[in-house]
Amino acid sequence: MAKKIKLAFIGAGGIARGAHMPPLQKMDDVEVVAIADVSEEAARQAADLFEGKPKVYSDYRDMLKNEKLDAVDICTPNLYHKQPTIDALKAGLHVIVEKPIAMNAKEAKAMVQAARENNRKLMVAQCQRFRPDVQLLKKMIDAGELGEIYYARVWALRRRGVPAWGVFIEKDKQGGGPMIDLGVHMLDMALYLMGHPKPVAVSGQCYTKFGNRKGIFNPWGEWDPAKYTVEDYAAGFVRFENGATLSIEASFVANIRKDEFNVTLLGTEGGSDMDPFRIYTERHQRVIVEEPTMLPQVNTYEAELKEFFAAIREDRDPLVTGEQALMTQLILDGVYESSEKGKEILIKA
Ligand SMILES: NC(=O)c1ccc[n+]([C@@H]2O[C@H](COP(=O)([O-])OP(=O)(O)OC[C@H]3O[C@@H](n4cnc5c(N)ncnc54)[C@H](O)[C@@H]3O)[C@@H](O)[C@H]2O)c1
């Protein structure tokens, strides 16, 4: 058997324990040797999930110094993506970091540069790309079945869904609200499917109409309105160098019929929706709806981790690169900056 990859975690909260760690318990070519979290309690609880009982650290820098590692999985709040990533890359480790890559594009650029300078892999955990419907649609698009894709409509909308835990409502720790937290998932999916066209201009508007009010119904519990410094709804419009455009909406709270997470693509030979998954075409001058069925069940977190390890073993780029995530982040930054300045922002990548 190939040598085991020695992995450590930085951040052992909800996504680490709930999504990344369970599939790792079953992977026999990877060993989780250490876990760092500023909350030692969180790190200890995470360590209890593994038979080998990884070592626990409250400062990740001590862990990087003391442990012999190949890679780290960074699952901290957005504010703590950049520095641990750069420190780990400089220590010669490969990095998978949770989405969004960072708080903003300036941080993302520094991370991408550190990966290049140290010749290590930097993957961003955009789990949605690994969905079987997304993978099938990507194959269809790459085979030219949708023709030229000229427009994408992207939604990540919650009717009432403010995360009442963690730091998701604090701009200085997250970089933004639903646009950066939820929008990034569907935006990444759309850009991947479109073949990563280069964004050249972004327009956007953010609103905080509920977050700073008391008494708004929220099935996930109460939040502190005084701490709420992010938007609760944002809309954006993106122009790409190849002439394609994309509109995006994201919300934690909005007076809409229901939650909706979707990407609609318009192509010259076909269109598509992700929810429900449908392809729209025309044949023999008749319009046709195709509905793929019997797609495999995929644990997207397991799939993304396996891709990261495969990229390390095969010494190739992972499916989600730091460079791609930087472009996504430039769009997100553009939405926020455009909202602040009240005008379209030109992207200089
Ligand atoms: N892919 C997905 O579907 C998905 C879902 C949820 C969250 N996320 C992402 O995962 C990240 C973490 O979110 P979460 O829901 O797990 O948050 P969380 O608050 O549950 O956990 C974060 C953990 O990081 C620890 N931490 C904070 N600062 C640290 C530091 N400097 N060093 C080490 N540990 C530190 C905290 O103590 C906490 O245990 C965010 O970037 C979020 O966007 C992704």
Side-chain angles (χ1 to χ4, degrees):
M1 199 178 76
K3 208 167 124 280
K4 282 190 181 191
I5 289 176
K6 290 193 184 303
L7 180 74
F9 272 86
I10 301 177
I15 196 69
R17 275 184 277 166
H20 290 221
M21 291 181 180
L24 282 165
Q25 290 162 336
K26 298 177 293 178
M27 287 184 208
D28 49 17
D29 56 350
V30 179
E31 186 186 353
V32 177
V33 295
I35 298 173
D37 194 303
V38 284
S39 154
E40 238 184 89
E41 174 59 20
R44 219 169 282 289
Q45 281 184 22
D48 285 344
L49 298 173
F50 295 93
E51 260 175 33
K53 285 278 156 69
K55 269 182 88 175
V56 162
Y57 288 87
S58 55
D59 188 329
Y60 76 87
R61 289 165 299 192
D62 293 336
M63 180 178 77
L64 296 183
K65 254 186 248 148
N66 295 344
E67 299 293 330
K68 278 207 165 343
L69 302 168
D70 298 305
V72 289
D73 185 343
I74 299 179
C75 294
T76 44
N78 302 352
L79 174 64
Y80 305 109
H81 284 186
K82 182 192 107 179
Q83 203 53 51
T85 295
I86 292 177
D87 290 344
L89 290 165
K90 282 189 174 163
L93 309 181
H94 303 290
V95 173
I96 180 165
V97 60
E98 257 303 342
K99 49 53 64 175
I101 182 170
M103 298 269 287
N104 52 54
K106 187 167 174 242
E107 291 189 354
K109 259 184 206 153
M111 293 157 78
V112 167
Q113 196 182 336
R116 261 194 229 128
E117 282 171 4
N118 293 283
N119 194 23
R120 299 288 90 180
K121 313 291 173 206
L122 171 60
M123 174 167 166
V124 180
Q126 294 290 170
C127 55
Q128 302 277 330
R129 281 200 206 181
F130 296 85
R131 285 168 39 173
D133 50 356
V134 174
Q135 283 301 312
L136 174 58
L137 184 57
K138 178 70 176 156
K139 284 196 181 100
M140 291 174 161
I141 290 170
D142 287 351
E145 291 169 32
L146 266 60
E148 175 203 342
I149 296 170
Y150 55 91
Y151 183 69
R153 200 156 97 206
V154 178
W155 311 262
L157 295 173
R158 287 186 189 148
R159 180 173 176 168
R160 293 289 185 277
V162 179
W165 62 91
V167 295
F168 292 91
I169 62 173
E170 296 172 58
K171 176 111 178 158
D172 59 342
K173 299 196 178 67
Q174 281 288 107
M179 182 55 74
I180 196 168
D181 184 46
L182 308 177
V184 70
H185 274 301
M186 307 315 278
L187 179 59
D188 175 80
M189 186 193 293
L191 296 173
Y192 170 61
L193 291 167
M194 295 168 88
H196 302 287
K198 188 173 172 296
V200 290
V202 183
S203 214
Q205 190 63 45
C206 299
Y207 299 91
T208 305
K209 298 289 184 190
F210 301 92
N212 49 13
R213 275 159 63 182
K214 269 200 161 77
I216 301 295
F217 173 73
N218 189 43
W220 293 338
E222 275 183 42
W223 70 89
D224 179 358
K227 274 195 170 166
Y228 198 102
T229 47
V230 299
E231 80 281 6
D232 42 44
Y233 172 89
F237 185 77
V238 186
R239 295 174 193 281
F240 297 97
E241 196 175 55
N242 66 1
T245 52
L246 176 152
S247 70
I248 180 166
E249 290 177 58
S251 68
F252 282 159
V253 187
N255 283 327
I256 51 175
R257 192 165 66 89
K258 61 180 179 66
D259 292 3
E260 276 192 61
F261 286 73
N262 206 347
V263 170
T264 295
L265 297 178
L266 303 189
T268 50
E269 305 304 314
S272 61
D273 269 328
M274 299 314 301
D275 184 21
F277 185 29
R278 302 264 199 278
I279 313 292
Y280 311 106
T281 57
E282 177 176 325
R283 279 189 219 129
H284 308 287
Q285 291 188 301
R286 290 290 178 268
V287 286
I288 293 180
V289 181
E290 290 178 329
E291 184 184 359
T293 56
M294 297 175 77
L295 292 174
Q297 295 280 323
V298 171
N299 176 336
T300 55
Y301 299 106
E302 179 174 351
E304 76 185 0
L305 287 167
K306 283 188 167 162
E307 166 63 10
F308 175 57
F309 301 131
I312 294 172
R313 289 195 191 285
E314 294 161 22
D315 192 17
R316 60 165 171 80
D317 280 344
L319 184 70
V320 190
T321 64
E323 283 83 358
Q324 292 165 358
L326 167 59
M327 294 313 255
T328 310
Q329 189 72 54
L330 281 164
I331 293 175
L332 297 169
D333 281 16
V335 171
Y336 289 122
E337 191 185 340
S338 168
S339 182
E340 274 163 32
K341 295 189 172 156
K343 62 174 192 184
E344 188 173 63
I345 303 300
L346 299 183
I347 294 188
K348 294 170 225 86

